[in-house]
Amino acid sequence: MGATDFVYVCRVRSGGERETMEKRVLRSQAWFGGQDKDGFIHRSWMRNQGFPGDVFDGRPVIGICNTWSELTPCNAHFRELAQKVKNGVWEAGGLPVEFPVTSLGETNMRPTAMLFRNLASMDVEESIRANPIDGVVLMCGCDKTTPSLVMGAASCDVPAIVLSGGPMLNGRYRGQSIGSGTDVWRFSEAVKAGTMTAQEFMDAESCMSRSAGHCMTMGTASTMACMVESLGLSLPGNAAIPAVDSRRGALAQETGRRAVEMVHEDLLISKILTREAFLNAIRANAAIGGSTNAVIHLIAFAGRVGVPLTLEDWDRYGRDVATIVDMKPAGRFLMEEFYYAGGLPAVLWKLAQHNQLDGDALTVNGRTIGENVKDAPNWDSEVIRDDERPLVESGGIAVLRGNLCPDGAVLKPSAASPSLMKHRGRAVVFESIEHYKERIDDPALDVDETSVMVLKNCGPRGYPGMAEVGNMGLPSKLLARGITDMVRISDARMSGTAYGTVVLHVCPEAALGGPLALVREGDWIELDVEARRLHLDVDEAELFRRRAEWVAPQPAFTGGYQSLYVKHVLQADRGADFDFLVGCRGHGIPRESH
Ligand code: FES
């Protein structure tokens, strides 16, 4: 059976009218269409779920790729949401088949959920290709569940549509809104500074996560939900609808319907993930003040579909875009208010009005992104700011270069302190995160607010998995003096909910012998964000001597997945994907199993 086989069918459109259309014979028919022993096997076992025989008649089989797990609390409501998707698929004449894939919960997984993003993407890719699936609904929520599903589907190049689980309602503590992650960091520093008691800290715990959904700050989950909407991978409005809002369920049903139509239209994910779509997403990230993690994930997406995308693109295309969404961690509000204000369509419409959106980019609903967001209203100019008073004039991601990061490093200006954007200070060096924890609150630590905190061996290979530890908390003795920010540099990532003048993703990482590995206590370091420069003020001859003395850290594991990971993971500037996973392997039909 080839991809060019067609049959003629009668299709009932949403409005009730009928049309005769040419329909491709879908890949699922390679399983369900045969009248032989293999067709019997494929259909018969499926029928134990109570499917009538006519569901195997050639209709689109829609895989509902579900990251539900009770260990991923942000996605714990996904079984009910999947039911809504199924309703939509049935309604549009498809056959829904829900399947589980590895679920990555940010708050529980150690040493870091990022270690498993590529593993989960393999699970998604192979699950799609190995099964009778014609198109997929990707059910994404917690941070890494979005990139792992998009990467897997991209490498199969099937019709794919993202349904996000939606953010939690606002946290509320003592009459004030509190945001996931952001206020955890703030409270924990307040306890160290002595301005919050341990009991108050414990009380706040039950006030933060009040409903189903993912982090409701503009952390990585919300950012990635905005990224997939900007890329055109979800229906308009998907990013911001709260998880418990009835409109999330309605969107799930519409997503299921649309997945069926996408299969009929052969609207492959590669038709959506164009370079123009990625540049739109980069600009959208600047406008929302999104997470630095989006840099790594989008470069990995682009690698899967063969679209060139570099760190320079992030700097170049985001630099002139103002951050207009006033949300934590950079600003004041949370996703609930963002939704009520108009959500991402309102932001994209503002970008379009400034010629900062390529309106011709195609989206999953078959229309262009320009058509989708035209005249999208902004109902609250405190949340989505007016042009005259952006949150940050020049948002985006600053990509730094210099002898400390020859292959680049990133900093999020909207989360940094303006006073530290140009800074020269002495290095206080931590060889590992454990070394940092041992020393940071030592009263004898030689550190002041002008120091530059340097953390090594937390990159893709070094941790392994590139943990979110780059926003190291400040020393207690400085917090007690009211110091709230210092320059911090590492090869780690940081949570999208975090803030500070934090240089991240230093490439090459220390564990590979990058220049970061050579920094010693007391070295002078210069940061100049405007000039995009990060410089270790140590002469070449001395660096040469240090390099000769450098000994690579020994990994703490002896086998298993982590060995595979460190052997194949690429550096952050290449999306931290596995070298053998880059690219699209298509959705060809594997040989029979019996
Ligand atoms: Fe799941 Fe933040 S912990 S989205």
Side-chain angles (χ1 to χ4, degrees):
M1 187 176 300
T4 53
D5 294 337
F6 291 88
V7 293
Y8 290 91
V9 295
C10 184
R11 175 185 174 202
V12 181
R13 295 180 67 84
S14 322
E17 77 268 32
R18 290 170 175 271
E19 66 172 352
T20 301
M21 60 182 287
E22 196 178 56
K23 191 181 79 167
R24 284 174 309 109
V25 177
L26 302 174
R27 78 185 291 272
S28 57
Q29 282 296 290
W31 281 258
F32 297 142
Q35 301 306 311
D36 55 0
K37 170 201 70 164
D38 293 317
F40 179 108
I41 291 172
H42 295 307
R43 289 185 301 271
S44 174
W45 267 259
M46 286 295 279
R47 292 180 74 162
N48 79 347
Q49 298 173 80
F51 289 129
D54 62 357
V55 301
F56 306 109
D57 60 1
R59 67 187 70 190
V61 177
I62 304 299
I64 301 172
C65 183
N66 199 339
T67 48
W68 168 84
S69 168
E70 289 178 343
L71 286 167
T72 306
C74 307
N75 299 15
H77 59 301
F78 277 20
R79 285 196 289 190
E80 300 85 69
L81 207 55
Q83 191 55 51
K84 300 281 188 191
V85 178
K86 285 184 190 174
N87 294 347
V89 173
W90 283 121
E91 194 181 10
L95 168 60
V97 283
E98 184 183 352
F99 65 100
V101 290
T102 309
S103 184
L104 306 178
E106 199 66 30
T107 51
N108 285 323
M109 294 192 87
R110 296 184 180 188
T112 170
M114 181 64 177
L115 176 65
F116 308 105
R117 183 200 63 175
N118 299 344
L119 178 68
S121 81
M122 291 165 71
D123 182 1
V124 174
E125 176 184 346
E126 302 303 336
S127 294
I128 294 171
R129 191 179 297 111
N131 279 297
I133 288 174
D134 300 311
V136 280
V137 175
L138 307 174
M139 295 193 62
C140 306
C142 196
D143 294 13
K144 306 303 175 292
T145 57
T146 302
S148 57
L149 267 54
V150 172
M151 289 161 71
S155 281
C156 281
D157 197 18
V158 289
I161 183 168
V162 172
L163 174 70
S164 300
M168 288 186 261
L169 298 177
N170 288 5
R172 296 291 294 176
Y173 174 66
R174 297 194 168 179
Q176 303 216 323
S177 284
I178 56 172
S180 317
T182 304
D183 285 294
V184 181
W185 319 130
R186 192 167 65 82
F187 291 158
S188 104
E189 300 226 319
V191 172
K192 281 173 78 176
T195 55
M196 185 180 204
T197 67
Q199 185 57 50
E200 288 168 336
F201 186 68
M202 298 307 292
D203 291 346
E205 179 183 304
S206 62
C207 303
M208 184 163 285
S209 308
R210 296 171 47 231
S211 78
H214 61 69
C215 290
M216 80 311 254
T217 40
M218 189 52 81
T220 303
S222 301
T223 298
M224 290 310 297
C226 289
M227 291 296 90
V228 292
E229 188 171 331
S230 317
L231 286 164
L233 286 176
S234 71
L235 292 179
N238 170 70
I241 305 172
V244 294
D245 193 302
S246 57
R247 289 163 284 192
R248 175 65 58 187
L251 187 84
Q253 188 154 335
E254 288 164 14
T255 299
R257 284 183 204 158
R258 182 59 199 153
V260 176
E261 293 173 355
M262 287 174 69
V263 170
H264 286 307
E265 296 162 13
D266 200 25
L267 184 46
L268 304 173
I269 193 170
S270 59
K271 296 178 183 172
I272 309 289
L273 290 179
T274 59
R275 180 163 163 84
E276 293 68 34
F278 282 106
L279 300 188
N280 281 343
I282 287 173
R283 294 190 189 100
N285 186 270
I288 62 175
S291 165
T292 45
N293 285 323
V295 178
I296 293 180
H297 298 322
L298 263 64
I299 289 176
F301 292 5
R304 295 297 184 104
V305 287
V307 168
L309 195 75
T310 63
L311 282 181
E312 271 56 47
D313 290 322
W314 275 92
D315 197 304
R316 179 167 168 210
Y317 291 98
R319 194 168 188 164
D320 296 331
V321 178
T323 300
I324 53 170
V325 178
D326 188 344
M327 273 184 61
K328 296 183 183 213
R332 294 174 292 167
F333 298 103
L334 295 168
M335 286 299 279
E336 208 181 322
E337 285 103 1
F338 183 48
Y339 176 54
Y340 303 146
L344 196 70
V347 176
L348 296 179
W349 175 232
K350 275 183 175 284
L351 289 176
Q353 290 172 297
H354 291 93
N355 294 320
Q356 291 174 327
L357 186 84
D358 187 331
D360 292 335
L362 185 63
T363 76
V364 287
N365 67 2
R367 293 192 285 271
T368 66
I369 199 151
E371 291 168 335
N372 284 345
V373 304
K374 185 163 173 24
D375 295 326
N378 174 13
W379 303 110
D380 190 337
S381 58
E382 286 299 307
V383 180
I384 302 173
R385 299 277 200 99
D386 294 329
D387 293 343
E388 306 78 55
R389 44 185 207 97
L391 190 67
V392 179
E393 282 284 352
S394 175
I397 302 290
V399 176
L400 309 169
R401 299 277 177 178
N403 69 346
L404 192 46
C405 54
D407 293 338
V410 303
L411 176 141
K412 180 175 164 184
S414 63
S417 300
S419 61
L420 291 172
M421 300 288 259
K422 185 164 186 173
H423 182 78
R424 178 178 160 88
R426 282 183 315 113
V428 177
V429 178
F430 307 103
E431 297 295 329
S432 67
I433 192 65
E434 289 75 24
H435 188 218
Y436 157 82
K437 287 175 181 170
E438 276 165 29
R439 297 178 70 209
I440 192 63
D441 291 326
D442 181 348
L445 183 67
D446 184 12
V447 62
D448 65 26
E449 60 270 38
T450 67
S451 302
V452 173
M453 291 165 56
V454 175
L455 175 63
K456 303 179 184 176
N457 298 313
C458 294
R461 289 199 194 185
Y463 202 75
M466 207 181 177
E468 292 186 334
V469 293
N471 57 311
M472 307 160 252
L474 306 191
S476 297
K477 64 182 180 184
L478 297 185
L479 289 167
R481 284 182 36 221
I483 307 300
T484 55
D485 196 10
M486 291 169 64
V487 174
R488 289 158 269 181
I489 299 172
S490 73
D491 47 13
R493 297 176 302 118
M494 79 170 176
S495 165
T497 64
Y499 49 84
T501 310
V502 186
V503 177
L504 302 155
H505 312 179
V506 166
C507 288
E509 63 174 297
L512 269 186
L516 186 69
L518 310 181
V519 182
R520 292 189 180 168
E521 199 91 355
D523 287 348
W524 287 94
I525 292 178
E526 294 168 6
L527 169 68
D528 185 344
V529 177
E530 180 62 29
R532 301 300 198 247
R533 181 168 178 266
L534 184 65
H535 181 71
L536 176 63
D537 197 1
V538 175
D539 67 52
E540 275 302 318
E542 172 61 15
L543 289 177
F544 188 80
R545 270 193 297 279
R546 290 184 190 179
R547 183 169 301 286
E549 290 169 13
W550 179 73
V551 179
Q554 283 305 304
F557 48 87
T558 53
Y561 170 69
Q562 295 197 19
S563 298
L564 176 84
Y565 184 91
V566 297
K567 193 167 167 198
H568 292 285
V569 71
L570 299 168
Q571 290 291 279
D573 63 324
R574 297 188 57 198
D577 203 352
F578 287 157
D579 50 10
F580 64 89
L581 289 180
V582 174
C584 174
R585 287 160 286 281
H587 52 263
I589 296 162
R591 62 170 66 159
E592 266 297 358
S593 52
H594 291 91

